[in-house]
Amino acid sequence: MPFLQLANVRKLYPNAAAAAVENFSLDVEAGEFVSLLGPSGCGKTTTLRMIAGFETLTAGQIVMDGKAIEEMRPNQRNIGMVFQSYALFPNMTVADNIGFGLSVGGSAKAAIQQRVREMLALIKLEELGARYPYQLSGGQQQRVALARALAIRPKLLLLDEPLSALDAKIRVALRNDIRAIQRKLGITTLYVTHDQEEALSLSDRVVVMNHGLIEQVGNPFEIYNFPRTTYVAQFVGTLNLLDAVVVEPTAGSVQIQGQPAHTTSLAGCSQGEQIRLALRPELLALKSTGQADENRLAGVVETIAFLGAVVRIQVRVGEALLALDEFNNPQLAVPAVGSPVFVYFARSSCLKLL
Amino acid sequence: MRRINWFAWLWFTLGALYFVLPLWGTLIFSLQKRRGVLSLDAYSAALGDPRFVETFVFSNFMAICTILASLLLIVPTAYWVHLHLPRWRPVVEFVSLLPFVIPAIVLVFGFIKLYSKPIVLLGIPLFPSLTTSNLSTNLLLIAGYTVLSLPYMYRAVDNGLRAMDVGTLTEAAQSLGAGWWTILWRVILPNLRTALLSGALLTFAIVVGELTIATFLARPAFGPYLALLGNHRAYEPAALAIVSFLLTWVAMGLIDRVTRGTRDVVAGSH
Amino acid sequence: MAATHTPPARRRLTWLGLAPFFLFALFFIFLPSASLFVDSFRSPEGHFTLEHLGGLLQPPIPGSYALSIGVSAFTAVVGGLLGSLMAYALTAGNLPRWLRPLTLTFAGVASNFAGVPLAFAFISTLGRTGFVTALFQDLLGIDLYDAGFNLYSFLGLSVTYLYFQFPLMLLVMVPAIEGLKRSWREAAESLGATPTQYWMRVGIPILLPSLLGTVLLLFGNAFGAYATAYALTGGRLNLITIQIGAQIRGDVLRNPNLGYAMALGMVAIMAVTLLGYSWLQRLSERWLKDTR
């Protein structure tokens, strides 16, 4: 039995045309870190708020630790929550913020103090217990918010875009800290974000959502390398989309912009069918010769952009524009704009999308 | 899901009753001048009194003069502070808030003490007594009212200036060849319209019925007339109270309309 | 800033732009107050004296201060309480939405409806022959005035002052309560707090500085009031403003310097009130600095 189970959850706001969340079913194992990933308005935050108890369900069931919780009040669920806006109580010190949950729960003073010290050590802000929130940086405030949520020893930790309000550098540092703390405590965690890099780097599993529906569930490796739909493929990372015509389904041969190519994923296709193929930029290479089983497309270099660690080269192949990434190094021979080149890629890296 | 909150309804109803009852009471009372029937007699008597017309016209005239004086004083000052002397802003702000600390009664006391005698500095007479002629006393009244309006007007203008980028607008106008007067008149003022209008209306609401300063400067203003009327009439004052309430409502309604709810809350002058 | 584009010779003169404002303030705020201030320390012969300040301790002046402070404090606290409760009802009380703009507009008008007309409204309502007085008599058989109520007393004046105090509080508290972030409430709830615990330990403490600050503002508002009290009681109630008014008219004490000292005392009390207000205001702004 999974630790947290959402079954056919639906949320329809009054006067709304479409449901905010539709037929959402997900099992989360104890200790797992699961991200809900999608653009704003895709229903990921609504799902999280239904688990926390701030929104009611229109239909469906939520079971946590063997108990149905969808009728419980938020203050009875024992779920820790971290908000995008930190939501620290401005009238209390850091220590009082962290101790708030235990204090309203009636814990003894000494026990609260002990727990607050533990939590401050956990977030490495031991010396800031007496400060007020307005005296802290955004990153520090969010650490305190995390400690406050964890102080009550919740069964489940919910994080709603906790890094969105922070600067890029702090975001990465805090991201790693969140993951380390989650591992250390082994707490089951649901993490809402619109940032694919965040979701992929943090999670055991990622749930990609679109218009209230689950598009795909999988571990980061699967989501990135084997996106099932165009939506997932486009949302996660940069992707080349190529229109192709099936020539011979059993042999896997297709035509891309009039040039022959092969792919390994043509199951169920018929001859002459229009399909769409996806290619990651980093799986393409500019070479003069390749192996016999590699695909080869002839094209012309159109633009070159230095992105730091990689150089992104756009090659025009017929009517299509292919982006490809080369790792940057001082010896890299970059072709001139307008020169004819060959683009090589493995047959297996060419994915057919639904 | 939305439960009825009896506690909330209780307090709302009590508050609403307290709001409405005095108005309703005054309205009913004002309609009872003729025994046994409701009539508008009190209104025709009150509004037909030549003293009412005189004092009301006088107070409106004073209000308009005050608004003009206040605008002339504060708009250039606030603009100058925004543009050239931002470090002076706390000082100007502090001075503009002083009228909150100095009640009208104290202010007029000081006026009378200082300006009812000729001002002599080191044996040289600077001013004659200001309270001896009607014109100079009216000017003193306008000055007093301008002081009362200072906090509201400065707040309104300052907020208006904050909402636009004064420096850039001015530089843009300068680069197009505009002089100071043109900049103020054709660039800054049109953008301040809302702020100026709400400041002016608030000043109007404060000044028209003002009693304290007008009484002690012995001006034939509406406030003192109203107070006097209350001493020897019963129904007419009630009628004029209703009229004042409607006027206040119109002024506040107009402010709400022009600012659409962005107005600051401020204390009135009582 | 544009100031950097001004030639140095002209820059030295930029302060001249503020001259009209400061001249006006000098002649119509500073000099009038300063002349009262100076003369409250000066004997008729022109020597320095504390005699007039000592005179503030002679009856009936302490009583006047006490009455003014009493009425102001009472109406500020009661107005603050009622205003907050009604603000709570309007914002968090599940009342129909259309009530809010209506009530706020009404409050805007009521908080500016003061002075003589307000006094008349209450005479017509709670005076001896007033509407509500008659209502009590006709419906309940209670004569309010026999029962000890008098419009021209402490209680009557307070009830009248509350008409502008209470809506002013409402106007400040509605946006303040609306400024409480939803996530504070949700964070408290998810940490196990009941709604009462949330209000007692988070909501009300966050509102407290602006609540107390506004109560101080109301205090000052009532303390400086002259017109309403004068029109209502015709000078019968011994408020400090009424005393000063009588002093200006030359009615009573015939000691102008004592009058100056009374005015000075008023300004001192108002200054302390406003200082307290601005301190609380800053505290609240600091708390809520980057949370809006």
Side-chain angles (χ1 to χ4, degrees), chain B:
Chain B
M1 194 62 198
R2 265 175 106 81
R3 290 177 302 115
I4 292 181
N5 188 335
W6 296 109
F7 184 72
W9 272 109
L10 171 76
W11 287 111
F12 178 80
T13 312
L14 281 180
L17 267 182
Y18 179 67
F19 268 154
V20 171
L21 266 182
L23 287 179
W24 182 248
T26 312
L27 182 68
I28 295 295
F29 195 79
S30 72
L31 297 174
Q32 288 174 334
K33 187 172 165 70
R34 200 183 299 169
R35 217 161 254 292
V37 283
L38 297 182
S39 71
L40 291 173
D41 283 11
Y43 290 85
S44 52
L47 300 180
D49 182 354
R51 288 284 295 145
F52 162 77
V53 179
E54 266 168 50
T55 56
F56 194 66
V57 167
F58 176 83
S59 277
N60 275 286
F61 181 60
M62 287 296 114
I64 291 165
C65 292
T66 304
I67 289 167
L68 288 179
S70 187
L71 288 178
L72 268 176
L73 189 68
I74 288 166
V75 174
T77 304
Y79 172 67
W80 204 252
V81 166
H82 265 263
L83 197 61
H84 289 305
L85 301 164
R87 269 191 292 171
W88 281 74
R89 183 189 286 172
V91 182
V92 175
E93 212 166 81
F94 172 77
V95 171
S96 79
L97 287 177
L98 277 180
F100 276 149
V101 187
I102 303 166
I105 186 98
V106 174
L107 189 71
V108 74
F109 199 6
F111 276 17
I112 290 170
K113 177 172 177 321
L114 198 62
Y115 294 118
S116 59
K117 292 171 294 202
I119 293 195
V120 180
L121 192 70
L122 306 169
I124 310 156
L126 280 180
F127 286 114
S129 160
L130 287 180
T131 49
T132 45
S133 85
N134 277 337
L135 177 68
S136 60
T137 319
N138 285 347
L139 289 178
L140 203 55
L141 183 69
I142 292 169
Y145 284 169
T146 306
V147 173
L148 290 191
S149 77
L150 209 57
Y152 310 101
M153 203 58 114
Y154 184 80
R155 274 284 279 281
V157 174
D158 190 54
N159 285 345
L161 287 171
R162 261 174 224 231
M164 63 173 155
D165 192 347
V166 177
T168 314
L169 275 183
T170 302
E171 284 171 3
Q174 275 178 318
S175 75
L176 295 171
W180 287 115
W181 179 247
T182 317
I183 293 171
L184 206 56
W185 189 250
R186 296 193 41 193
V187 179
I188 303 298
L189 278 185
N191 281 304
L192 272 180
R193 219 168 11 207
T194 312
L196 299 187
L197 206 56
S198 71
L201 285 165
L202 206 56
T203 304
F204 188 84
I206 294 168
V207 166
V208 164
E210 205 278 338
L211 174 78
T212 314
I213 297 182
T215 298
F216 291 111
L217 290 180
R219 293 292 78 207
F222 184 53
Y225 164 73
L226 212 53
L228 198 68
L229 192 69
N231 286 342
H232 51 92
R233 287 286 155 80
Y235 300 101
E236 286 84 348
L240 288 180
I242 291 292
V243 171
S244 307
F245 186 82
L246 291 180
L247 279 178
T248 314
W249 186 287
V250 168
M252 294 300 129
L254 282 175
I255 292 176
D256 258 9
R257 178 65 61 84
V258 296
T259 58
R260 281 191 209 90
T262 55
R263 183 167 69 97
D264 280 307
V265 175
V266 281
S269 149
H270 315 296

Side-chain angles (χ1 to χ4, degrees), chain A residues 21-334:
Chain A
V21 176
E22 187 75 88
N23 199 23
F24 190 103
S25 295
L26 180 71
D27 290 351
V28 181
E29 298 301 329
E32 206 180 359
F33 193 119
V34 176
S35 290
L36 305 185
L37 175 65
S40 63
C42 73
K44 56 191 194 303
T45 295
T46 308
T47 306
L48 201 72
R49 291 172 56 81
M50 284 192 284
I51 299 171
F54 303 136
E55 303 282 355
T56 53
L57 279 67
T58 310
Q61 225 192 358
I62 302 177
V63 177
M64 183 174 74
D65 204 9
K67 273 194 298 242
I69 59 165
E70 69 269 5
E71 295 291 328
M72 279 187 183
R73 288 167 170 276
N75 56 15
Q76 296 164 340
R77 296 191 184 196
N78 196 18
I79 291 175
M81 177 111 179
V82 175
F83 298 82
Q84 178 178 354
S85 59
Y86 324 137
L88 293 179
F89 306 130
N91 56 317
M92 296 179 199
T93 61
V94 165
D96 288 344
N97 263 287
I98 295 175
F100 181 83
L102 297 174
S103 167
V104 295
S107 294
K109 258 213 170 101
I112 296 174
Q113 280 173 358
Q114 170 62 27
R115 184 69 179 158
V116 168
R117 268 198 301 276
E118 280 170 38
M119 287 293 116
L120 283 170
L122 185 70
I123 57 169
K124 300 184 201 105
L125 293 178
E126 287 96 331
E127 64 285 9
L128 298 187
R131 295 260 185 103
Y132 281 87
Y134 68 86
Q135 295 167 315
L136 303 181
S137 70
Q140 289 171 331
Q141 289 192 47
Q142 198 58 296
R143 278 166 201 269
V144 175
L146 181 65
R148 181 179 68 177
L150 290 171
I152 56 169
R153 297 188 174 84
K155 289 180 176 172
L156 179 65
L157 179 64
L158 305 178
L159 301 115
D160 185 7
E161 305 247 5
L163 307 176
S164 301
L166 299 170
D167 298 338
K169 260 191 184 160
I170 300 165
R171 216 181 299 164
V172 174
L174 191 49
R175 184 168 91 191
N176 297 334
D177 288 353
I178 288 176
R179 183 54 165 156
I181 289 172
Q182 190 268 340
R183 283 246 172 80
K184 189 169 160 190
L185 303 179
I187 184 168
T188 315
T189 302
L190 246 66
Y191 187 99
V192 159
T193 181
H194 64 266
D195 184 322
Q196 46 104 3
E197 192 187 322
E198 239 171 73
L200 294 178
S201 64
L202 279 170
S203 319
D204 296 321
R205 275 194 300 156
V206 178
V207 178
V208 185
M209 292 183 72
N210 184 26
H211 294 308
L213 290 163
I214 294 180
E215 285 272 335
Q216 187 172 356
V217 182
N219 64 38
F221 186 83
E222 292 165 347
I223 294 286
Y224 189 82
N225 291 318
F226 305 106
R228 277 182 45 226
T229 61
T230 313
Y231 176 82
V232 175
Q234 277 183 317
F235 197 78
V236 180
T238 316
L239 200 71
N240 293 301
L241 292 178
L242 290 172
D243 289 323
V245 182
V246 178
V247 176
E248 180 55 61
T250 44
S253 69
V254 293
Q255 272 211 322
I256 300 169
Q257 301 293 331
Q259 303 187 40
H262 286 85
T263 167
T264 52
S265 57
L266 281 186
C269 292
S270 52
Q271 195 169 349
E273 191 182 336
Q274 292 278 343
I275 59 167
R276 178 167 275 191
L277 296 174
L279 275 168
R280 293 275 177 212
E282 65 269 28
L283 298 179
L284 306 180
L286 291 184
K287 293 187 286 197
S288 43
T289 56
Q291 271 131 19
D293 64 336
E294 276 189 313
N295 285 313
R296 186 182 84 168
L297 296 176
V300 176
V301 175
E302 187 149 310
T303 63
I304 296 169
F306 286 91
L307 305 178
V310 296
V311 181
R312 178 158 294 169
I313 301 166
Q314 287 194 304
V315 178
R316 182 160 293 284
V317 177
E319 287 181 358
L321 204 54
L322 276 181
L324 65 95
D325 289 350
E326 297 255 17
F327 278 108
N328 197 1
N329 72 69
Q331 279 75 48
L332 184 68
V334 181

Side-chain angles (χ1 to χ4, degrees), chain B residues 245 248-250 252-253 263, chain C residues 104-113 171:
Chain B
F245 186 82
T248 314
W249 186 287
V250 168
M252 294 300 129
R263 183 167 69 97
Chain C
L104 288 183
T105 310
F106 206 108
V109 177
S111 65
N112 280 287
F113 181 63
L171 287 178

